[in-house]
Amino acid sequence: MKKDVEQRRRAETSRNSVAVKRRALEIGFDAVGVASLERDPHAAELDRWLAAGYAGTMSYLHRQAEKRKDPATILAGARVGVVTLTNYFHGSTDPGDQSNPLVSVNPGLTTGVSRASGRVAQYAWSTDYHRVVGRRLERLATALREIVPGAKTRCYVDAGPVPERELARRAGLGWIGKNTMLIDPERGSFTFIGVLLTDAALAPDLPFQADRCGTCRACLDACPTDAFMAPHVLDARRCISYLTIEHRGGFGAAEQRLAGEWLFGCDVCQDVCPWNVKFARPTDDAELARRSELAQPDLDTLLDLEGDAFEQRFGDTAFERPGAAGMRRNASAVLANRPSP
């Protein structure tokens, strides 16, 4: 009798897991898996990284550390995380340097930049992903509560103390590359990760155990600022993405030079990854359509915009993270880094 009850429980858990995943794909996610929430066995690595000062001014990472190491504590009673991937790779209408072998394979990996603009990471070329992915996660949460009545849910999109990449690995969606990015073997690393924590009884997927980077060092060697202290170890203080997005305050002379031509973020370590060269394909997601004023924003406009004017133009974009002051700082750095005409 007890064995029959257990078999029925497992069958229901399996059915519910399949139903949730099917609904996620219907909503528009490109991939989905279910992750277990046990304490991270590599938690000491986060402690060492923070102690080394590699987080820079991101003090929130210190405050969130304990929950990041033990994700089950983020939502009381949580059993699993439903993890989703959304492809945001845009490619490019500019083929760039045709002599570059990477470009001939996938022209989206090199982007020409006009003198009037600076380089922008591809994830910021469209409406803020927090909004797009967040809306979809809320729809998935509603669906999950219909499939498992009474379930508690909480959604996260690159926010809060959630270790998104580790949970994505546990959900079987890919491995964490030497550049610390999640690499999906079918899509590469140009993906947004969404996480739905729940106390629903769902069956965790098998974690992705293999590290398919092998001996490749393309991302480490291509980093223009030598921000990688070792494979999987990033010193954010030297990372262009950190400097142009998360860093608070102005730039010193050294920080300004590190920014180079990058106005917002940096894609270099992804651009050179063989998994992106081979597998990244432009998204056809209408909600993530490329916006020219984001892909190649005008530097002079950014220098002039303040307050409400900035919010009106860029309030629904990733540029809102550094804000008007941060984008003025970045635009000034790009211009200062250019040789006189």
Side-chain angles (χ1 to χ4, degrees):
M1 184 66 162
K2 185 176 180 181
K3 183 177 180 180
D4 290 342
V5 171
E6 179 64 18
Q7 287 178 337
R8 286 195 297 271
R9 184 190 68 78
R10 290 183 178 178
E12 182 181 22
T13 296
S14 179
R15 285 195 302 271
N16 289 343
S17 301
V18 170
V20 169
K21 292 178 185 179
R22 182 183 299 117
R23 190 71 186 100
L25 297 177
E26 292 171 350
I27 286 170
F29 293 110
D30 292 297
V32 59
V34 179
S36 59
L37 298 180
E38 70 272 11
R39 185 175 176 83
D40 188 348
H42 306 293
E45 294 177 9
L46 174 60
D47 292 332
R48 288 194 292 270
W49 186 80
L50 291 171
Y54 292 157
T57 62
M58 295 183 288
S59 57
Y60 61 87
L61 292 178
H62 292 268
R63 296 193 299 271
Q64 297 172 349
E66 289 308 311
K67 288 186 175 180
R68 283 183 176 273
K69 291 183 288 188
D70 194 359
T73 64
I74 300 172
L75 173 67
R79 297 182 181 184
V80 297
V82 180
V83 187
T84 65
L85 299 185
T86 302
N87 175 31
Y88 68 81
F89 183 66
H90 292 285
S92 175
T93 57
D94 185 337
D97 180 6
Q98 293 297 328
S99 66
N100 185 336
L102 294 180
V103 175
S104 63
V105 174
N106 195 332
L109 296 179
T110 295
T111 304
V113 180
S114 73
R115 292 287 299 179
S117 186
R119 302 188 71 181
V120 175
Q122 288 209 32
Y123 86 82
W125 288 12
S126 57
T127 300
D128 186 5
Y129 68 97
H130 295 89
R131 299 181 182 220
V132 176
V133 178
R135 286 193 295 266
R136 294 177 185 176
L137 276 181
E138 290 296 346
R139 289 173 60 194
L140 181 58
T142 299
L144 188 153
R145 292 192 297 270
E146 292 171 352
I147 294 167
V148 185
K152 290 194 300 183
T153 58
R154 186 177 297 170
C155 302
Y156 290 93
V157 184
D158 196 17
V162 180
E164 297 96 345
R165 296 169 193 176
E166 168 59 18
L167 293 185
R169 186 197 67 78
R170 294 186 192 182
L173 298 178
W175 75 99
I176 299 175
K178 293 176 182 177
N179 61 354
T180 75
M181 302 296 291
L182 180 85
I183 303 177
D184 175 348
E186 296 183 8
R187 298 169 186 83
S189 64
F190 288 96
T191 58
F192 297 129
I193 304 174
V195 176
L196 171 58
L197 297 179
T198 181
D199 64 352
L202 300 178
D205 288 292
L206 293 175
F208 201 102
Q209 297 287 13
D211 180 346
R212 297 189 183 177
C213 291
T215 60
C216 179
R217 290 182 47 89
C219 60
L220 307 180
D221 295 337
C223 178
T225 61
D226 296 320
F228 294 103
M229 301 297 99
H232 308 287
V233 181
L234 173 72
D235 183 348
R237 298 168 299 183
R238 298 188 61 83
C239 175
I240 295 171
S241 287
Y242 161 78
L243 289 170
T244 57
I245 302 171
E246 296 294 329
H247 180 72
R248 295 297 171 254
F251 286 159
E255 291 166 332
Q256 174 186 293
R257 288 192 296 272
L258 289 176
E261 277 283 316
W262 287 95
L263 175 67
F264 184 95
C266 177
D267 280 334
V268 172
C269 69
Q270 297 195 88
D271 286 348
V272 301
C273 176
W275 290 90
N276 287 326
V277 173
K278 186 172 183 178
F279 295 109
R281 294 293 178 267
T283 179
D284 58 2
D285 192 324
E287 289 191 272
L288 295 174
R290 180 185 184 276
R291 291 165 51 177
S292 59
E293 77 274 19
L294 301 179
Q296 289 193 314
D298 183 77
L299 295 177
D300 289 336
T301 298
L302 288 170
L303 291 173
D304 292 338
L305 283 180
E306 295 187 19
D308 292 343
F310 180 90
E311 181 66 22
Q312 184 174 6
R313 186 157 186 171
F314 297 116
D316 66 339
T317 77
F319 290 177
E320 189 177 35
R321 179 67 174 176
M327 292 304 290
R328 282 198 304 274
R329 173 199 64 196
N330 298 347
S332 296
V334 168
L335 292 170
N337 287 333
R338 290 176 174 170
S340 300

